[in-house]
Amino acid sequence: MYLDTVEKIKRVKDVIAQEEIFIVVVGEFNHGKSTFVNSLLRQDLLPTGILPTTATINIIGQGDEKIQIHKQEQIVTVKGEDLRSYIGDSDVSEIEWIGIRHPNIPFAPPVYVVDTPGLNDVNKKRSDVSYKFIPKADIVFFLLKADQPITETELSFLRDTLLKEGLHRIIFVMNFADAFEDEEEELEEMIESLKETLCTIEGLDDPIIIPFDAKRALNNSILGQTSEVDELISQIEKFQKNGLESLRLPRYKAMFNEVTRTFNQEQETYNQLDVMKVEELEIIRTWIASANEANQVHFSEIKNYLEVRQNDLLLMIDKSIERLSEEWIRECNRVVKRYQGPSAQFLEVIQQDIEHILSTERKRWVERYTPQVDLYIRKVQQEVLQSVTNMTKQQAVVLWKQIEQDNLSEVLFQPPFSDGKPDPTITAGLVAGGAAAIMLGLGGGLLLPFVGLAAYPIIRKKLETQALTEAKNLMLMDLDKIVHVVLKDMKQTLETYVEKSFATISETTLSQIANHYRSQEEKIQKQLHNQKNDKNVWYEQKNTIEKELEHEIEKIKEALFK
């Protein structure tokens, strides 16, 4: 009884009791979070790389040098080089967090820097870890890519997670700003565009945006030179100068409001259940069961709809990739024809050039078109959620008509997605990670089938006789096979990405619908049990719990706003 209220009260108490000040770094995979943390610490402490290098919550602070792995039932001390074993797809399910202490950390306790897994990590378990730690954050560095507009995924995380938790101490860091080293005006335009977008979000009237290059800042710090890190430190100090209570006040207010809202909602539900008779409860239980069955039928229609939209998207991807074939073959042709070097080096040089061209073009295409793919998927998700919400609202209307017609007691009915969107912690891995995830699926470099080409032995033989022109012609004849291999691999990876995203929409929607009706039915069933047995005991328990919770809420109010 009142389980949601009890859980949220516990969270508020944990925040009040939290003595540590956590500077949390968040952002999508491949945005350079670990390098950024190293620059903030002014030393190369955390492992970095192309693949996801943060699989757990890493809490870094000043102290005697040591690394401790905090598992559910034990603490294990490891050496610095062992930290890299907790990256990639390592199984870290038993690890709660990793504590890293070093005497040269520029922040003294109780201040700690926290590196988190990517919000859009392809491994959903790692992504969920970030969401669970967010309520503990005091100051947030939100890493974005300077050369890319802010994505819908990032905006959703900002609105539905950070600001919802009352976290307004956010510094937006536009990493990789070195891409605009000779184009300052373009960088200013990107900053202004980001600011305009952020200002449309309630609670972000004057966002702090800092262009940054983590690698350069880290190198400068290691060399003892002035770096951009100084500006980041000054922002932290500005937040801290008014004290911890001022720093956390917006969070306190948001969490307290959420506690009172949840308590009032649960209390209203139980009060409505209290006044209902056994016969009325049986009617409502029957109605819930029939509504659930109707939604299962509706969900079959949703699955068909998802299948159609998925096939439409795959067809668009297929057509787009078909067009790429001619462009890439034409570019590779140009490279082969213009080669004027020694015959003996022809194959080696051409192979390297073609690999570079196709790798670059593949990356460019993925980064350019993946946001459009993600946007399509998210629009489909919103349409599905809206469909389910409309369905449950219609069912609620039918229920109210039955209540009025039969003179039954009023009953509270909430649709599974009352605000039109699911819990962001549940759908953290809905879209697997955009361009970064697709590039991860494609792997690193290209493995082009030069040796496997039918003409390869003939080309090699021609080159031995200095017949460079003939070797070029043979190579040109087989370029379409090389390009086909790359495009086939890219197409398969994109198809897997799309299929996984649509499957997640389907599973998440079905799961939330099922959980919603199961919860409704359990409440009715429990009330029926209480009504048929000792109703006085039920009232006594309910009143006792309510008084205790009201007392707890009042104590929290006094502690927070004294």
Side-chain angles (χ1 to χ4, degrees), residues 530-531 533-543:
N530 293 327
Q531 294 278 38
N533 291 281
D534 192 343
K535 191 171 182 179
N536 290 329
V537 173
W538 155 255
Y539 281 138
E540 187 176 336
Q541 289 176 344
K542 174 179 174 296
N543 291 335

Side-chain angles (χ1 to χ4, degrees), residues 14 30 139 150 163 205 215 223 242 246 275-276 334 355 391 405 409 436 449-450 455 486 492 521 539 557:
D14 288 343
N30 207 25
I139 299 171
I150 188 168
L163 296 177
D205 300 329
K215 282 188 177 180
L223 294 173
N242 294 326
S246 174
V275 300
M276 296 179 71
R334 188 178 63 80
E355 284 182 354
M391 177 74 175
Q405 180 180 333
S409 305
F450 283 92
V486 178
Q492 288 176 343
E521 195 165 0
Y539 281 138
K557 184 178 179 180

Side-chain angles (χ1 to χ4, degrees), residues 358-369:
L358 295 184
S359 178
T360 302
E361 290 298 323
R362 183 184 66 173
K363 184 174 184 292
R364 182 179 293 134
W365 188 93
V366 169
E367 290 181 343
R368 181 178 177 184
Y369 287 101

Side-chain angles (χ1 to χ4, degrees), residues 18 20-27 32-38 40-41 45-46 54 56-62 96-101 105 107 110-118 129-143 236:
Q18 178 184 313
E20 302 89 351
I21 297 175
F22 289 123
I23 302 170
V24 179
V25 181
V26 301
K33 290 195 309 303
S34 295
T35 304
F36 172 79
V37 172
N38 283 340
L40 194 61
L41 301 176
L45 187 64
L46 298 179
T54 303
T56 61
I57 292 291
N58 299 323
I59 303 179
I60 307 144
Q62 194 181 97
E96 294 184 342
W97 55 282
I98 297 177
I100 303 172
R101 300 292 177 268
I105 300 297
F107 304 102
V111 179
Y112 297 89
V113 177
V114 183
D115 188 25
T116 63
V129 167
S130 300
Y131 282 81
K132 290 178 181 177
F133 194 84
I134 289 304
K136 297 179 182 291
D138 291 299
I139 299 171
V140 175
F141 281 109
F142 197 147
L143 254 65
I236 295 172

